[in-house]
Amino acid sequence: MPTPNTYRRSEALRSLWPWLPLWTVVALVAIFSHGPMPLFSTRTLAVAWEMWQGHQWLVPHINGEPYSEKVPLLFWLIHAGWFVFGVNDVWPRVLEVIFGGVQLVQLSILARRLFPTRPWVEKAAPWMLLALSYAFLFGLQIMYEVLLANCVLGALLCLTPTLRRAEPRWLLFGLLTGAGLLTKGPVMLLHIVFPWLLGPLWNDWAREHRARWYGRGVLAVLLGFAMLVAWAIPAGFAGGEAYQHRLFFTQTAGRVVNGTQQSQSLQSHPHWFGWYVVWLPMLLFPFTGWPRAWVAIGTLRKPFDSGIRFALCWLLPSFVLFSVISGKQWYYLLPEFGGWMLLLAGAIAILRDQRVKLAENNWLGSWPLGVGSILFAGALFALPYITSSHSFHNEWVDGAAPYSRTFSVAFLLLGCLLLVRGRGEMRRVAVAGLLGALALNTLFTLTLWHKYDLSPTTALISSAQAQGHIVAYEGNYEGQFHFAGRLAQPIKELHDGMALQAFAKQHPDGLIITHPDKLDAAALRYALLAQPFRSAWVVVWSAPTVAMLQAGRTPPEPAQPPRVFPAPTPLQYVPQS
């Protein structure tokens, strides 16, 4: 006869069945449909490769220099797989899928603890999280935010009560805080500090034991910082004085305060205060197009459930704080996406219990999303007509047109699914959101991936370095060739014409990579290789050739014409006299 514990475990496994396998299969198909994406994934892999190749386990490196932008936990996890399977790009992608699956499971557990009397929230929250189109597509990148989300949700789970224990698990809270600090740095605290500081507003134990809540919480946070410092101090000594200064001071300050002076360029991404507000509807799509979600949030009334109070204590102050901080990117909010879905699932559960008519009103259903999907299908079907008429030219539209009619059928079917009424509405929205994101990723792979696939240039650079040629890059080099080419030497950055001329003089057999917006007649005549990259081009030249062109002189005719990927059309370059 099964024991109660065995029964509970089997029930938990059955509750995982619908969404976890579905998400895992879709994520694996999507993440392996094309190679690692420049510049997000390729930069992460470049750092991991240089650490591995140079046996630099303490200090991340990129292009031969210490890399203070990131802390090392993700790189160490990549290295762990490489120790077992060898250096490859399969393990890092599988690792990201694992992180995403763990995030869904964590959210389900968090929902069960915070809404013990509303079991629908536990079932709905992971469905809703996997439906977020932006979160799914960004989760295909080999980046730090999904691992950070695991650390954030894990730390917050430590603060929530269980049936057996009301006091938080402070040691585990500290360890997970330290893991988050080793994943993304001090920003980890911004994701967890408000649920802890505002604990008495949502947690009964915190309200009754304030001294222990805050005292032990401070000790746990100090434990997390001790883990970070245990790495940072020896890394600082190993990386040198400039690396120490950036690691401990400017790399964080430059993101928080716009205009902080830097000795080197910093990925600070400054935006105005309301930038996140403007983009939040896109980040939370498809639920921003579901009227019932808006009504559920709008009809919330006090007294709030403890789960609603927890979500508000987490989301509102952290959103304001991230808006105040100068540096902003959409994916900075990724650890909060689970919180937004927790809030929304809780609000819909309350709507279902307390306002049955609104919860069952067909006019509040998913029909706007269905209509939108059908209209999008119509636009995809019309793309070949638009491009063939030459009335509108856009590289993205032109690229998608050959396959657009096939994918219009997919979005037509998803639209019909969203027009269905009755039970299971939330799951239909979730499935449509997930499959719609997969369809867009597949359409991108079939039509536009060649604008991101740097394999031709990477192969040329790797061969050149193997033969002893020095390679330089005009502008800031982001590591996009290093991992795929298994490069062993750095690529020199050239930031002005004088540096270019000096490089060509010192290295007459060297190569220079440029990135013009248009492919001109000189490139089609004198370059070694040219290929599209995003909205521009990547062109590889012999160093003397590009130096002579820059100086206004005519280079000698090359022995063979440049390799161009794909073959250019008259619209792709501007002839020069």
Side-chain angles (χ1 to χ4, degrees):
M1 182 174 180
T3 65
N5 286 338
T6 303
Y7 176 77
R8 280 196 295 270
R9 283 195 295 270
S10 65
E11 283 294 299
L13 289 174
R14 278 196 291 270
S15 71
L16 296 179
W17 160 244
W19 46 266
L20 187 58
L22 173 65
W23 184 89
T24 301
V25 170
V26 172
L28 286 172
V29 169
I31 204 167
F32 284 104
S33 64
H34 56 68
M37 178 73 72
L39 299 166
F40 286 141
S41 297
T42 54
R43 181 166 50 211
T44 304
L45 290 172
V47 176
W49 162 248
E50 290 202 40
M51 292 177 70
W52 176 274
Q53 192 262 342
H55 304 289
Q56 296 282 350
W57 312 120
L58 269 180
V59 181
H61 277 67
I62 188 168
N63 201 32
E65 297 291 334
Y67 185 56
S68 64
E69 299 290 313
K70 296 295 182 286
V71 279
L73 182 57
L74 177 59
F75 308 128
W76 290 343
L77 293 175
I78 293 174
H79 292 161
W82 286 352
F83 273 116
V84 178
F85 306 112
V87 176
N88 61 79
D89 64 13
V90 174
W91 165 247
R93 288 190 268 183
V94 171
L95 193 60
E96 288 295 327
V97 175
I98 293 172
F99 293 157
V102 169
Q103 185 183 9
L104 296 176
V105 174
Q106 288 175 313
L107 183 62
S108 177
I109 298 171
L110 190 62
R112 181 172 71 241
R113 292 185 183 179
L114 291 170
F115 294 90
T117 62
R118 302 187 191 278
W120 187 87
V121 181
E122 176 190 355
K123 298 176 182 178
W127 277 107
M128 297 170 76
L129 180 58
L130 67 81
L132 294 177
S133 301
Y134 173 78
F136 174 78
L137 293 173
F138 184 82
L140 305 180
Q141 308 302 315
I142 303 171
M143 286 284 282
Y144 318 88
E145 274 66 27
V146 184
L147 175 57
L148 179 63
N150 292 161
C151 297
V152 169
L153 289 174
L156 296 180
L157 274 170
C158 294
L159 296 180
T160 56
T162 66
L163 293 176
R164 297 182 178 181
R165 177 183 172 124
E167 182 176 1
R169 291 157 176 78
W170 296 114
L171 177 60
L172 188 56
F173 178 72
L175 294 175
L176 287 167
T177 298
L181 290 167
L182 286 169
T183 299
K184 199 71 191 293
V187 72
M188 169 64 179
L189 289 185
L190 304 185
H191 294 290
I192 64 170
V193 67
F194 292 109
W196 169 58
L197 288 178
L198 302 177
L201 296 181
W202 62 270
N203 188 301
D204 293 338
W205 191 91
R207 189 163 47 252
E208 296 169 3
H209 305 87
R210 292 175 185 262
R212 291 171 67 183
W213 175 272
Y214 290 112
R216 296 186 179 185
V218 168
L219 292 176
V221 171
L222 290 176
L223 171 61
F225 267 103
M227 293 170 60
L228 178 65
V229 170
W231 162 78
I233 289 179
F237 281 112
E241 185 176 350
Y243 174 73
Q244 289 179 33
H245 182 72
R246 284 173 59 83
L247 180 66
F248 289 108
F249 301 106
T250 57
Q251 70 97 13
T252 297
R255 287 175 171 82
V256 175
V257 181
N258 192 17
T260 302
Q261 294 298 315
Q262 305 291 331
S263 59
Q264 303 177 38
S265 61
L266 179 72
Q267 303 160 14
S268 58
H269 313 295
H271 293 285
W272 67 291
F273 173 81
W275 191 77
Y276 283 132
V277 175
V278 172
W279 289 108
L280 194 61
M282 183 275 291
L283 298 177
L284 299 183
F285 184 83
F287 296 103
T288 47
W290 187 24
R292 206 175 314 281
W294 289 93
V295 171
I297 294 294
T299 54
L300 281 175
R301 296 292 184 271
K302 293 181 179 181
F304 296 138
D305 287 9
S306 62
I308 298 294
R309 283 182 272 128
F310 168 86
L312 293 175
C313 289
W314 176 16
L315 299 173
L316 295 184
S318 63
F319 186 81
V320 172
L321 184 59
F322 276 99
S323 297
V324 171
I325 292 172
S326 172
K328 298 178 180 69
Q329 287 282 70
W330 294 336
Y331 55 84
Y332 288 177
L333 299 182
L334 201 70
E336 273 68 46
F337 284 12
W340 289 108
M341 294 303 99
L342 185 71
L343 174 63
L344 183 55
I348 294 175
I350 293 170
L351 186 76
R352 287 159 54 99
D353 291 343
Q354 299 180 358
R355 301 172 185 264
V356 178
K357 289 184 177 180
L358 287 177
E360 297 178 353
N361 189 311
N362 289 327
W363 288 106
L364 300 179
S366 57
W367 65 267
L369 291 168
V371 171
S373 184
I374 292 172
L375 291 176
F376 185 60
L380 288 176
F381 191 84
L383 276 189
Y385 292 114
I386 296 173
T387 56
S388 63
S389 67
H390 303 289
S391 58
F392 176 76
H393 281 294
N394 178 277
E395 60 181 326
W396 306 106
V397 172
D398 293 342
Y403 291 89
S404 63
R405 286 182 179 171
T406 301
F407 283 86
S408 71
V409 176
F411 283 98
L412 177 63
L413 294 175
L414 292 177
C416 293
L417 174 66
L418 291 166
L419 291 179
V420 174
R421 298 179 178 182
R423 294 174 60 86
E425 182 180 80
M426 180 276 298
R427 286 182 177 84
R428 288 194 293 275
V429 173
V431 169
L434 180 65
L435 295 183
L438 175 64
L440 289 176
N441 182 76
T442 306
L443 179 61
F444 166 82
T445 302
L446 292 173
T447 61
L448 296 171
W449 169 244
H450 71 276
K451 291 180 176 290
Y452 292 79
D453 183 7
L454 293 170
S455 299
T457 302
T458 301
L460 177 58
I461 295 169
S462 179
S463 176
Q465 282 201 352
Q467 297 172 25
H469 300 289
I470 307 299
V471 181
Y473 189 90
E474 183 183 51
N476 293 323
Y477 172 61
E478 300 286 352
Q480 55 266 43
F481 308 114
H482 253 76
F483 175 76
R486 304 295 194 269
L487 304 187
Q489 301 297 324
I491 291 178
K492 184 176 178 60
E493 294 182 349
L494 307 175
H495 293 287
D496 54 46
M498 293 180 61
L500 189 150
Q501 293 291 336
F503 176 85
K505 186 176 181 180
Q506 295 170 8
H507 306 286
D509 61 345
L511 302 183
I512 295 178
I513 307 164
T514 64
H515 47 92
D517 293 333
K518 299 289 185 179
L519 192 62
D520 60 23
L524 289 171
R525 184 174 179 181
Y526 297 111
L528 300 175
L529 180 147
Q531 71 163 102
F533 179 55
R534 300 204 291 194
S535 298
W537 287 80
V538 170
V539 184
V540 184
W541 313 75
S542 69
T545 297
V546 72
M548 293 178 71
L549 287 170
Q550 186 191 70
R553 300 196 303 271
T554 301
E557 289 296 325
Q560 58 186 19
R563 289 179 289 162
V564 180
F565 301 87
T569 68
L571 293 174
Q572 289 177 310
Y573 65 90
V574 179
Q576 292 182 345
S577 57

